[in-house]
């Protein structure tokens, strides 16, 4: 089953228009709502899902300061009894230590089997709160209220939840699908510019891996998107969620197709790692990774040069990095790190490569020397 339906959904009184995308996973199916002012309607949606009265909102300091009160009030107004858990902002909070703190607070607030958790924040909060929900009392329901562009188009959909270990990112986790995802476009207004542009790297990815029309629309509408025009954003966020829903609906646990979502991520993750986490935002690192993957695709799958150029240009227009200057030692380190990535199977690095914009292939073997060459392009081949 796939999540094909994109309907101009029910129109709740609190929003001008709401796109509804459904993730079709049998009994675990759920809706993603995309629109402005949706937080206000959170209590109503949770009541519709017949979730238990007691709940906890998990958020971070940045997001909590701005949106916790509205979220709390929306739930309380419909008879829910929320407690608020605020974790420090940033990747460091995605740890077992924070998970432990959350468990203690849930116990103090007497959450029970029918209770639920609201993840209010970016991907860090979504992954952390989702993991807490997956494990506390052997699994509680949870609702995602993503507040970064990256979280709205990617991390809040699909049920991958987890935390980091010292040894690496996302090493402990689970598949635990939310009961509802509410993408409130108004929340994006306060997102720092650099975070917003980094989120656009995932948006562009959907165009490359799945939808040439979306890619062309991004080329056309980028100025509107950079202005965070609500109308342009609504359609684009909905289309990205629709693509993710369709992919996850076909391959929930990443045994095949879901791998296409990793386009640009093999090199991107290694870039994040060797630069020291924090230098590049995830979206910036995967912009570099996607341009490198496009160049590899040209050599190995015949991706037309004009498509490679369009890909590099769109990332550049978005203000994202497309190349990385590395000396030979750092290049070797990057290759070594790539081989340690948890997605490597049998010691071989597998790439997602593109035949053309809108069509990719996963599981491609790429010789290390070619990766190294691509990361060290001669000035004449730089776009
Ligand atoms: N589960 C998945 O499928 C999946 C997919 C991709 C990424 N991820 C994970 O997502 C995480 C990255 O998520 P992210 O990029 O959203 O980062 P993030 O959650 O750290 O948010 C980025 C920053 O923006 C702030 N912020 C969030 N919303 C805001 C708002 N509306 N206004 C002002 N500030 C706001 C946060 O406090 C933080 O400082 C990583 O841990 C990554 O592993 C998970
Ligand atoms: Zn990503």
């Amino acid at each position: 089953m796939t999540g094909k339906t994109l309907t101009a959904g029910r129109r709740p009184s609190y929003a001008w228009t709401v796109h509804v995308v459904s993730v079709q996973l049998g009994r675990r199916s759920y809706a993603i709502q995309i629109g402005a002012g949706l937080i206000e309607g959170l209590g109503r949606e949770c009541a519709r899902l017949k979730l238990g009265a007691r709940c906890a909102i998990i958020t971070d300091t940045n997001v909590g300061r701005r949106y916790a009160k509205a979220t709390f009030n929306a739930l309380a107004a419909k008879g829910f009894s929320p407690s608020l858990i605020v974790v420090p902002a940033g990747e460091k909070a995605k740890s077992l230590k924070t998970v432990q703190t959350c468990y203690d607070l849930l116990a103090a607030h007497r959450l029970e089997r029918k209770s639920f958790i609201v993840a209010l924040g970016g991907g860090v909060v979504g992954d952390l709160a989702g993991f807490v929900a997956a494990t506390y009392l052997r699994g509680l329901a949870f609702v995602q209220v993503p507040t970064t562009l990256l979280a709205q188009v990617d991390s809040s959909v699909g049920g991958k939840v987890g935390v980091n270990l010292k040894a690496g990112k996302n090493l402990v986790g689970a598949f635990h699908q939310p009961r509802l995802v509410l993408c409130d476009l108004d929340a994006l207004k306060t997102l720092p510019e650099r975070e917003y542009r980094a989120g656009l790297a995932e948006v562009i990815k959907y165009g490359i891996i799945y939808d040439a029309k979306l890619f062309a629309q991004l080329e056309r509408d980028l100025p509107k998107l950079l202005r965070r025009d609500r109308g342009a954003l609504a359609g684009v966020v909905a289309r990205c969620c629709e693509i993710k829903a369709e992919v996850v609906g076909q391959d929930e646990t990443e045994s095949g197709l879901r791998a296409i979502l990793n386009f640009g991520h093999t090199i991107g993750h290694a870039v994040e790692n060797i630069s020291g986490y924090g230098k590049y935002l995830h979206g910036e690192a995967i912009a570099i990774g996607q341009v490198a993957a496009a160049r590899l695709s040209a050599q190995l799958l015949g991706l037309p040069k004009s498509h490679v150029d369009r890909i590099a240009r769109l990332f550049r227009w978005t203000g994202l990095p497309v190349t990385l200057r590395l000396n030979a030692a750092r290049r070797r380190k990057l290759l070594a790190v790539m081989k340690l990535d948890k997605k490597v199977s049998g010691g071989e690095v597998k790439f997602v490569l593109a035949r053309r914009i809108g069509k990719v292939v996963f599981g491609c073997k790429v010789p290390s020397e070619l990766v190294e060459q691509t990361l060290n392009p001669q000035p004449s081949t730089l776009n």
Side-chain angles (χ1 to χ4, degrees), residues 150 154 202 205 261 265 269 282 286:
L150 177 136
D154 189 2
E202 301 282 4
K205 179 190 80 180
L261 299 168
H265 281 58
H269 285 151
H282 175 71
I286 64 152

Side-chain angles (χ1 to χ4, degrees), residues 9 23-24 84 114 119 132 168 215 239-240 254 262 270 297 304 323 379:
V23 184
Q24 299 284 346
L84 186 62
K114 288 202 153 164
V132 168
F215 191 91
R239 181 62 190 136
C240 294
E254 198 167 332
N262 295 325
S297 305
T323 48

Side-chain angles (χ1 to χ4, degrees), residues 86-298:
V86 184
V87 305
E91 189 73 33
K92 269 208 179 122
K94 235 177 86 172
S95 69
L96 286 171
K97 190 163 162 253
T98 320
V99 168
Q100 172 76 58
T101 309
C102 290
Y103 289 153
D104 291 341
L105 291 167
L106 296 182
H109 193 64
R110 301 217 180 82
L111 259 75
E112 50 198 30
R113 283 288 296 124
K114 288 202 153 164
S115 306
F116 67 101
I117 287 176
V118 175
L120 172 69
V124 165
V125 163
D127 283 10
L128 166 79
F131 183 72
V132 168
T135 46
Y136 191 70
L137 298 179
R138 297 199 177 83
L140 297 182
F142 90 113
V143 172
Q144 289 269 22
V145 184
T147 62
T148 63
L149 183 56
L150 177 136
Q152 295 196 350
V153 299
D154 189 2
S155 60
S156 67
V157 177
K160 273 195 191 176
V161 296
V163 296
N164 305 327
L165 296 182
K166 275 208 190 83
K169 276 190 63 167
N170 300 321
L171 288 182
V172 177
F175 284 99
H176 188 56
Q177 299 293 344
R179 297 289 302 279
L180 169 72
V181 181
L182 274 195
C183 299
D184 190 332
L185 300 172
D186 282 344
L188 298 180
K189 285 184 195 157
T190 56
L191 192 62
E193 185 65 18
R194 194 173 160 203
E195 297 285 351
Y196 180 77
R197 288 179 191 242
L200 285 171
E202 301 282 4
V203 170
I204 295 170
K205 179 190 80 180
Y206 286 109
I208 300 171
I209 65 172
Y210 213 81
D211 188 347
K213 256 171 74 185
L214 171 65
F215 191 91
Q217 184 193 344
L218 296 173
E219 291 177 309
R220 234 180 12 253
D221 287 350
L222 190 68
K224 281 191 199 159
L225 290 170
L226 290 175
R227 283 200 306 275
R228 309 189 194 189
D229 174 279
R230 215 161 52 171
L233 259 175
V236 164
V237 172
R239 181 62 190 136
C240 294
C241 287
E242 197 183 21
I243 295 170
K244 179 127 190 204
E246 208 161 304
V247 171
V248 168
Q250 289 179 50
D251 177 21
E252 187 181 8
T253 54
E254 198 167 332
S255 45
L257 183 72
R258 193 166 175 165
I260 68 172
L261 299 168
N262 295 325
F263 180 75
H265 281 58
T266 309
I267 292 177
H269 285 151
V271 168
E272 285 180 273
N273 183 315
I274 66 155
S275 322
Y277 287 103
K279 176 164 181 346
Y280 288 105
L281 295 179
H282 175 71
E284 294 166 347
I286 64 152
I288 294 169
Q290 289 181 75
V291 173
R295 292 207 179 99
L296 289 171
S297 305

